[in-house]
Amino acid sequence: KRSHFVLEGQVECKAILYIPGMLPFELSKDMFDEDARNIRLYVKRVFINDKFDDLVPRWLKFVKGVVDSDDLPLNVGREILQKSKVLNIINKRIVRKSLDMIYDIAEDEDETKYIMFWNNFGKYLKVGAVEEDRSRKDIAPLLRFFSSKSDEEYTSLDKYVESMPEGQKNIYYVCGDGRE
């Protein structure tokens, strides 16, 4: 899935974001690999860096892309650039567009696309639900779990709550590496 957008207003930038079909090789060994270069930042079409921690939250480490902004200064150090309000606005927009792309995959008529996405990147969304206060409500409907009633199929929390018996007030869960 991919998305191209232009930010206009307080901040002007252009971006292309892409969610790969499979987990990238560099992330298959270490979920939050510090050397994984996912978003490349350009200022006025000049490459600046691809190792910004503040450009995207770590739970979106799997999203690839390019961001080009005309509003960031070219001749300042990385530390000053990371504290920039412009970068903060770009970050919010990238998170929003990434979530929109994930929702597009989830709402696709072909459910196998989201199952494949979930098998590859579901652990990142779980981390996002824990770490990202700002986006938790947006991430929660995207989470999938196994249930004692759903056999080998995933279920969302909303679907589980809908199918709960009338008098059930609690949901009990077990955490583990797998179903076994």
Side-chain angles (χ1 to χ4, degrees):
K1 190 75 182 164
R2 61 183 155 72
S3 175
H4 176 268
F5 63 94
V6 177
L7 259 179
E8 293 177 336
Q10 310 171 324
V11 175
E12 290 191 20
C13 83
K14 297 175 185 164
I16 298 173
L17 300 178
Y18 171 74
I19 296 177
M22 299 298 290
L23 187 66
F25 176 74
E26 64 269 13
L27 296 177
S28 63
K29 294 180 184 147
D30 181 7
M31 184 173 166
F32 299 114
D33 184 9
E34 297 301 319
D35 294 330
R37 290 158 168 72
N38 54 343
I39 303 286
R40 297 175 61 92
L41 178 66
Y42 289 80
V43 175
K44 298 176 185 163
R45 295 189 183 102
V46 175
F47 175 69
I48 300 298
N49 206 329
D50 56 5
K51 282 191 161 188
F52 275 109
D53 297 331
D54 294 341
L55 197 54
V56 291
R58 70 185 203 131
W59 64 272
L60 283 175
K61 201 78 158 160
F62 62 91
V63 176
K64 304 284 186 188
V66 176
V67 176
D68 184 16
S69 175
D70 292 337
D71 293 339
L72 291 167
L74 263 173
N75 59 350
V76 295
R78 183 177 161 182
E79 294 80 24
I80 295 170
L81 199 54
Q82 282 188 328
K83 293 181 177 100
S84 169
K85 289 182 181 181
V86 173
L87 214 54
N88 202 11
I89 293 169
I90 293 172
N91 168 299
K92 288 179 185 175
R93 192 65 175 172
I94 289 174
V95 169
R96 179 79 252 143
K97 284 296 187 177
S98 298
L99 282 169
D100 289 347
M101 285 192 299
I102 296 169
Y103 269 104
D104 286 347
I105 296 170
E107 293 166 357
D108 195 297
E109 290 177 10
D110 185 4
E111 286 185 24
T112 58
K113 289 181 182 178
Y114 192 71
I115 300 290
M116 192 166 99
F117 170 84
W118 180 257
N119 288 334
N120 285 312
F121 307 114
K123 58 188 172 185
Y124 290 94
L125 293 182
K126 289 179 184 178
V127 169
V130 171
E131 290 182 351
E132 182 92 11
D133 291 335
R134 188 176 63 197
S135 301
R136 185 171 293 136
K137 285 185 167 75
D138 294 326
I139 297 170
L142 296 167
L143 300 178
R144 299 292 184 265
F145 309 94
F146 286 116
S147 163
S148 58
K149 295 178 184 175
S150 67
D151 295 322
E152 295 294 318
E153 293 182 24
Y154 290 109
T155 185
S156 68
L157 186 58
D158 292 338
K159 284 184 182 176
Y160 183 84
V161 170
E162 283 176 17
S163 67
M164 282 178 19
E166 186 87 18
Q168 183 179 347
K169 294 185 178 169
N170 300 322
I171 298 175
Y172 298 99
Y173 61 93
V174 176
C175 297
D177 289 335
R179 284 184 57 102
E180 291 82 41

